[in-house]
Amino acid sequence: MTYVRKYGRPDLFITITCNPKWPEILRYLIPGQTSSDRHDITARVFRQKQKSLMDFIGKQSVFGEVRCWMYSIEWQKRGLPHSHTLIWLVDKVHPDQIDNIISAEIPDSEIDPELFDIVTTHMMHGPCGQHNPESPCMAGNKCTKRYPRPLHAETISGNDGYPLYRRRSQEDNGKNITMKVKGNNVVVDNSWIVPYSPLLSKTFKTHCNIELCNSIKSIKYVCKYVNKGSDMAVFGIDAPDANDEVTRYQLGRYVSCNEAIWRIFSFPIHERHPTVVNLAVHLENGQRVYFTEANAAQRAERAPNTTLTSFFNICQSDQFARTLLYSEVPQYYTWNIASKMFQRRKQGQAVPAFVNVFSTDALGRIYTVHPLAELNATTVELWNKYKDYMADDILHRVRTTTLNYQLEMDDGIHNEALLLIEDLCLLMSGSSLDKLGMAAPNRAMHDALNRELEREREYDIDALNQEVRTKIPLLTNQQKDVYDTLLKAVDEGNEGIYFIDAPGGTGKTFLISLLLDSVRSRSEVAVAVASSGIAATLLGGGRTAHSAFKLPLNLQLTDEPTCNISKNSVMAKVLQNFKIIIWDECTMANKRALEALDRTMRDLRSNARHFGGALIVLAGDFRQTLPVIPRSTAADAINACLKLAHLWRFVKKLKLTTNMRVLMQNDSSADVFSNQLFCH
């Protein structure tokens, strides 16, 4: 997830499986032997194939320049290894490039007979289902791998974050073949093909599945899948006379011969690039110390440095280190395990204006410290010792706002700092400071209801104006039209619901950030939310919709949900005073989330119009939820879309047809929606 935080979603997810018929394996077998007799050979060969795959993708850049990668090795129950690999590219794969990288169709046997043989041998799923009900992938009379897949004339985005690849039917010039399944001839078409890369398949001649991660919705699943490790099981031992649960039950996992050989050879099971350095977080004298009977007194007198204490030390002596955040240190310094100190890197890219300072692509990861972690008396001591430093920026802000530069630090400024800390703790754990071992702030000294409103206004106006002036010339003509339309609506105080509809890579986030900067540069309130945490981090001041609007968790179980926001709450004042709400990745949200916000806004603003007469901008890729419709007349496009039950329910429920607009479309493809699709 450190890679995701730094570089966003991965681009490619590749699974490659060992082929026991590789020539490199067969040539070393003694006559009469099979690959299952020589796991040492299959392990060595697959290790070399995995290294070749990473060199092929990383060093030769066959899919473009690679920013970072990671892979893990797993084993099938029959013993053959396979790897799961994630690739982050410098240049993201655009929708119109997918078919150049990934195919899910049977190749033409006359044009490319070699690829045809590889695909029909290694990339054909099943067939299962009615053709083979006893297939291992079957559960509950359904294929757990969701085959056969639907046929599509073109590649489109799916609801689960993965594309629906082009799988042409026979009427669309798609190919099919006849296979023997359980002694019967079965005609198999493109719906049974596992997505593959023609380049990788012809290079490695084995089962090599490749998927495009085109949505942040798939990130956590893929990252967990790569790092989940071996399957484990708890089994019981039949011992009637034993009452000891430890002896009656054992926790274990299956280790195949090939995995055992792999571990004996000390081959890596997981590798990644660039390196990620874990950075310690602890209170003073709260670091973990390992000692023996011989060195216990020495360690008690002087504990070894940690990455945190070493960072404090270099900040005292190194001018460049003072310019860095703690998480940025591994990019310029290496951690010497022996001396327990950070040392400047001696290789890498030279940093301008600093002598003998080099940077690399190493990343730092700070361990998470939950507010409910073990606490003691030192936590108040910590506040008393550093409260002036924690409140220094608050004092500067008050001086600037009031033009009273003679104002000194006092209890009121300290109380403001405590309020900020408690707000964060309430957001993270729902606990106030008095429950976490610190002094509680005096909220009577501060209007708590204005805190959230101030949060939405605490921006550097000069910096925002500079950002706006810099970014506006970078807008495309289409983005400029959207920007001008929405900014005019803000200026005139208009209400309405606008959609910014475009696939990934077309500049939605850039446009949204510019809109937020423009509104906030005028000291107005612009609320930025997203349907996922990762998307929210890409927006200035962004939060998840569930966090900001206090949406109920059981949306599907409630017929008419509402947000958990009272009229006297902090967020209520924000929702009564904002100029615009921008909801990114709204296509990933349940429609009842929008309905809940609609009901709540009407109540908070005492306005019966939709969303209380507010200006709402919904952004996302609506192609993830709607099929591609060939361009025709506007009436045909509308009639076709109205046949979609989920869209019709959404439109009918909120009755928003007179306010909907499509403000941004990527018209580079011939098969896109008509611009009149949502217009009244």
Side-chain angles (χ1 to χ4, degrees):
M1 296 308 291
T2 301
Y3 291 161
V4 175
R5 172 179 58 83
K6 180 70 175 179
Y7 300 121
R9 62 172 174 80
D11 294 277
L12 300 175
F13 179 38
I14 302 172
T15 300
I16 185 170
T17 304
C18 177
N19 181 3
K21 296 184 180 180
W22 271 328
E24 295 87 347
I25 294 177
L26 298 179
R27 74 164 60 111
Y28 293 108
L29 296 178
I30 300 174
Q33 282 187 337
T34 63
S35 60
S36 60
D37 298 321
R38 296 295 303 274
H39 293 288
D40 58 329
I41 296 177
T42 58
R44 291 182 184 276
V45 170
F46 187 74
R47 168 62 180 155
Q48 294 302 317
K49 292 287 186 179
Q50 180 64 30
K51 291 174 63 177
S52 298
L53 174 66
M54 301 317 302
D55 290 343
F56 195 52
I57 297 175
K59 295 182 180 180
Q60 300 185 34
S61 303
V62 294
F63 298 126
E65 185 180 355
V66 174
R67 192 182 298 276
C68 56
W69 53 263
M70 62 186 297
Y71 74 82
S72 291
I73 307 294
E74 290 185 349
W75 283 265
Q76 301 169 341
K77 290 299 181 287
R78 58 176 178 158
L80 291 176
H82 61 276
S83 68
H84 301 294
T85 306
L86 283 174
I87 304 293
W88 280 260
L89 299 175
V90 173
D91 297 323
K92 298 295 183 182
V93 178
H94 296 286
D96 58 351
Q97 299 173 326
I98 297 177
D99 292 337
N100 298 331
I101 299 176
I102 303 174
S103 175
E105 296 186 316
I106 301 173
D108 193 311
S109 59
E110 297 181 358
I111 297 177
D112 197 338
E114 181 185 8
L115 182 61
F116 175 82
D117 292 338
I118 294 172
V119 171
T120 55
T121 302
H122 299 289
M123 305 308 298
M124 189 74 67
H125 178 83
C128 56
Q130 61 180 351
H131 306 299
N132 185 12
E134 299 177 358
S135 176
C137 64
M138 295 295 292
N141 296 325
K142 290 184 179 180
C143 175
T144 57
K145 309 300 181 183
R146 298 183 298 170
Y147 284 90
R149 300 293 178 92
L151 297 173
H152 298 281
E154 297 293 342
T155 299
I156 60 176
S157 297
N159 294 331
D160 57 356
Y162 292 100
L164 301 177
Y165 304 107
R166 181 177 65 187
R167 300 172 183 269
R168 288 172 289 191
S169 63
Q170 191 172 5
E171 294 76 13
D172 236 354
N173 296 323
K175 307 296 181 183
N176 57 39
I177 60 173
T178 302
M179 296 180 60
K180 283 280 188 181
V181 181
K182 295 290 186 178
N184 300 320
N185 290 329
V186 176
V187 177
V188 177
D189 59 8
N190 290 329
S191 61
W192 297 96
I193 299 297
V194 177
Y196 65 93
S197 165
L199 179 61
L200 294 182
S201 292
K202 292 186 68 173
T203 302
F204 294 96
K205 297 179 176 59
T206 186
H207 175 89
C208 185
N209 172 223
I210 181 170
E211 300 279 358
L212 181 76
C213 304
N214 74 328
S215 170
I216 60 173
K217 188 174 181 180
S218 59
I219 290 177
K220 284 194 173 181
Y221 166 76
V222 172
C223 289
K224 185 181 78 169
Y225 194 81
V226 168
N227 294 285
K228 67 182 180 63
S230 303
D231 294 333
M232 304 185 73
V234 177
F235 57 91
I237 300 175
D238 188 10
D241 298 332
N243 294 323
D244 186 358
E245 293 181 352
V246 176
T247 60
R248 291 183 59 190
Y249 294 96
Q250 299 293 329
L251 178 65
R253 60 187 180 88
Y254 173 82
V255 178
S256 65
C257 296
N258 193 281
E259 181 178 357
I261 289 291
W262 191 280
R263 294 178 180 273
I264 290 173
F265 287 159
S266 298
F267 291 158
I269 294 178
H270 175 83
E271 286 189 306
R272 61 174 177 255
H273 177 82
T275 184
V276 177
V277 180
N278 291 318
L279 302 175
V281 178
H282 57 83
L283 296 175
E284 187 176 5
N285 294 325
Q287 63 264 46
R288 181 173 296 177
V289 177
Y290 298 94
F291 58 89
T292 62
E293 185 176 354
N295 65 3
Q298 177 187 357
R299 290 294 170 87
E301 180 180 356
R302 184 177 181 181
N305 277 336
T306 65
T307 56
L308 181 61
T309 57
S310 178
F311 172 63
F312 293 151
N313 292 335
I314 63 171
C315 284
Q316 296 177 2
S317 59
D318 192 326
Q319 182 179 359
F320 175 73
R322 299 172 193 168
T323 67
L324 303 176
L325 297 176
Y326 183 34
S327 60
E328 297 172 337
V329 172
Q331 185 176 352
Y332 306 94
Y333 296 81
T334 59
W335 175 248
N336 190 311
I337 299 179
S339 63
K340 303 292 185 182
M341 294 177 60
F342 277 116
Q343 299 175 346
R344 282 189 178 182
R345 293 187 177 273
K346 299 179 180 180
Q347 296 180 344
Q349 186 175 359
V351 178
F354 290 93
V355 181
N356 295 327
V357 177
F358 300 93
S359 68
T360 64
D361 50 8
L363 301 176
R365 174 184 176 269
I366 302 176
Y367 285 109
T368 301
V369 179
H370 196 275
L372 294 180
E374 184 177 357
L375 299 166
N376 50 48
T378 59
T379 307
V380 179
E381 293 177 5
L382 186 67
W383 162 251
N384 290 330
K385 186 175 181 179
Y386 296 104
K387 61 183 178 182
D388 287 348
Y389 299 100
M390 294 183 179
D392 188 59
D393 58 336
I394 300 176
L395 176 62
H396 174 73
R397 174 170 55 84
V398 174
R399 285 174 174 176
T400 305
T401 303
T402 62
L403 300 179
N404 181 9
Y405 296 99
Q406 305 303 319
L407 186 66
E408 299 295 332
M409 189 74 70
D410 57 18
D411 292 340
I413 302 297
H414 291 154
N415 190 69
E416 290 288 323
L418 284 174
L419 284 166
L420 290 173
I421 296 173
E422 185 169 75
D423 287 345
L424 289 174
C425 292
L426 289 171
L427 182 64
M428 295 171 63
S429 65
S431 299
S432 57
L433 287 184
D434 58 345
K435 295 182 180 179
L436 298 173
M438 285 185 63
N442 183 0
R443 291 194 175 266
M445 298 173 62
H446 176 83
D447 184 5
L449 294 179
N450 289 330
R451 177 66 210 120
E452 190 74 19
L453 194 58
E454 289 180 8
R455 176 190 182 277
E456 297 294 344
R457 286 176 172 164
E458 286 180 351
Y459 294 96
D460 189 332
I461 304 300
D462 295 333
L464 290 178
N465 281 317
Q466 180 62 36
E467 283 287 313
V468 172
R469 289 192 295 268
T470 303
K471 290 180 179 179
I472 286 181
L474 303 178
L475 293 173
T476 64
N477 293 334
Q478 198 174 24
Q479 290 173 331
K480 187 66 165 58
D481 292 340
V482 178
Y483 174 78
D484 292 339
T485 301
L486 288 175
L487 210 58
K488 181 180 179 182
V490 172
D491 292 337
E492 297 176 354
N494 295 339
E495 64 179 80
I497 301 156
Y498 293 82
F499 287 85
I500 299 180
D501 174 25
T506 54
K508 290 194 302 296
T509 303
F510 179 81
L511 174 63
I512 291 171
S513 298
L514 179 56
L515 284 169
L516 292 171
D517 291 345
S518 299
V519 176
R520 290 166 176 167
S521 66
R522 308 171 182 181
S523 298
E524 301 287 356
V525 176
V527 179
V529 300
S531 297
S532 66
I534 296 178
T537 60
L538 302 178
L539 304 176
R543 289 177 288 175
T544 62
H546 273 273
S547 173
F549 300 141
K550 304 297 186 292
L551 293 170
L553 298 178
N554 56 344
L555 284 170
Q556 296 87 346
L557 304 179
T558 308
D559 292 334
E560 295 186 353
T562 57
C563 303
N564 188 22
I565 301 175
S566 65
K567 283 193 174 183
N568 297 324
S569 67
V570 177
M571 194 60 193
K573 182 159 287 191
V574 175
L575 295 179
Q576 291 166 353
N577 291 276
F578 72 88
K579 281 289 185 179
I580 187 173
I581 288 180
I582 299 181
W583 189 332
D584 194 17
E585 298 288 354
C586 68
T587 54
M588 297 170 56
N590 191 298
K591 73 181 185 71
R592 293 188 177 180
L594 286 169
E595 295 171 3
L597 180 61
D598 176 42
R599 296 187 188 95
T600 303
M601 294 282 288
R602 296 187 191 196
D603 177 56
L604 295 179
R605 299 167 73 94
S606 300
N607 190 326
R609 298 184 65 83
H610 296 299
F611 293 96
L615 178 60
I616 309 291
V617 176
L618 304 176
D621 184 0
F622 289 85
R623 292 162 184 79
Q624 293 187 9
T625 56
L626 302 176
V628 171
I629 301 173
R631 183 182 293 277
S632 58
T633 65
D636 292 340
I638 292 174
N639 290 334
C641 277
L642 290 183
K643 293 179 181 179
L644 300 173
H646 62 282
L647 174 63
W648 174 240
R649 286 197 301 270
F650 178 75
V651 174
K652 183 179 179 182
K653 188 70 176 179
L654 290 181
K655 300 178 181 178
L656 301 177
T657 52
T658 59
N659 289 325
M660 290 186 179
R661 299 288 189 275
V662 172
L663 293 181
M664 195 164 92
Q665 288 279 7
N666 180 5
D667 290 333
S668 60
S669 169
D671 294 330
V672 297
F673 297 119
S674 166
N675 284 333
Q676 301 297 320
L677 180 58
F678 288 111
C679 291
H680 69 282

